[in-house]
């Protein structure tokens, strides 16, 4: 299983975020729920060697073609989005109003609900 990682485009600390993502990707053993393939290529190669030599967590690669197919699958996506960017933009806009002191948390949440509901109904 591949888990997406990323950094918010609006982050004020992108450089620090990138350092964390690089550190995390290079050290998958840090995850206590590590049940996916590492993204860092040298660690991925080690994992693939393990999968080729034994059945690991229900996965075993039977042939070199299985390995090539896996690499092709990993390299294929250019972007991965698991959210609707418009909805996230709405949430960010209303959160900014809350943090600026222009709305209460309840008002901001109600505006998010109202705007997202309208957006979703327009998409249907």
């Amino acid at each position: 299983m591949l888990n997406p990682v990323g950094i918010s485009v609006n982050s004020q600390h992108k450089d620090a975020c990138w350092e964390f993502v690089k550190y995390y990707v290079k050290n998958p053993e840090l995850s206590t729920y590590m049940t996916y393939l590492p993204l860092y290529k040298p660690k991925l190669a080690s994992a693939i060697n393990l999968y080729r030599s034994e059945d690991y967590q229900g996965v075993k690669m039977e042939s070199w073609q299985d390995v090539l197919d896996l690499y092709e699958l990993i390299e294929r996506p250019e972007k991965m989005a698991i959210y609707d960017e418009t909805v996230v933009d709405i949430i960010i806009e209303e959160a900014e109003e809350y943090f600026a002191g222009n709305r209460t948390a309840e008002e901001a949440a109600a505006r998010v609900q109202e705007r997202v509901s309208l957006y979703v109904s327009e998409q249907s």
Side-chain angles (χ1 to χ4, degrees):
M1 173 192 295
L2 297 175
N3 290 328
V5 293
I7 297 169
S8 172
V9 70
N10 296 323
S11 174
Q12 294 178 358
H13 306 284
K14 287 185 181 87
D15 292 338
C17 292
W18 275 117
E19 288 304 313
F20 172 78
V21 168
K22 286 191 284 188
Y23 181 78
Y24 182 77
V25 167
K26 289 180 178 181
N27 298 282
E29 65 276 1
L30 297 175
S31 175
T32 57
Y33 51 90
M34 175 66 178
T35 58
Y36 51 88
L37 292 172
L39 297 174
Y40 184 53
K41 286 189 178 184
K43 300 259 183 185
L44 176 61
S46 297
I48 286 173
N49 286 335
L50 176 65
Y51 294 153
R52 292 194 73 214
S53 63
E54 60 187 68
D55 186 349
Y56 179 74
Q57 295 182 353
V59 175
K60 182 174 182 184
M61 296 187 177
E62 300 291 337
S63 69
W64 183 245
Q65 187 60 48
D66 291 340
V67 174
L68 295 176
D69 290 346
L70 174 65
Y71 274 105
E72 180 184 342
L73 181 65
I74 290 170
E75 297 292 333
R76 190 176 303 160
E78 292 179 21
K79 286 186 185 180
M80 182 178 292
I82 56 172
Y83 60 89
D84 186 303
E85 290 181 22
T86 301
V87 172
V88 173
D89 289 343
I90 290 169
I91 294 168
I92 290 170
E93 287 170 18
E94 297 304 330
E96 287 172 349
E97 290 298 311
Y98 165 73
F99 289 117
N102 299 331
R103 291 196 176 87
T104 66
E106 292 78 16
E107 291 169 335
R111 294 246 326 138
V112 167
Q113 182 65 42
E114 177 184 323
R115 291 179 62 195
V116 170
S117 294
L118 179 62
Y119 171 71
V120 170
S121 68
E122 288 173 350
Q123 301 307 305
S124 300

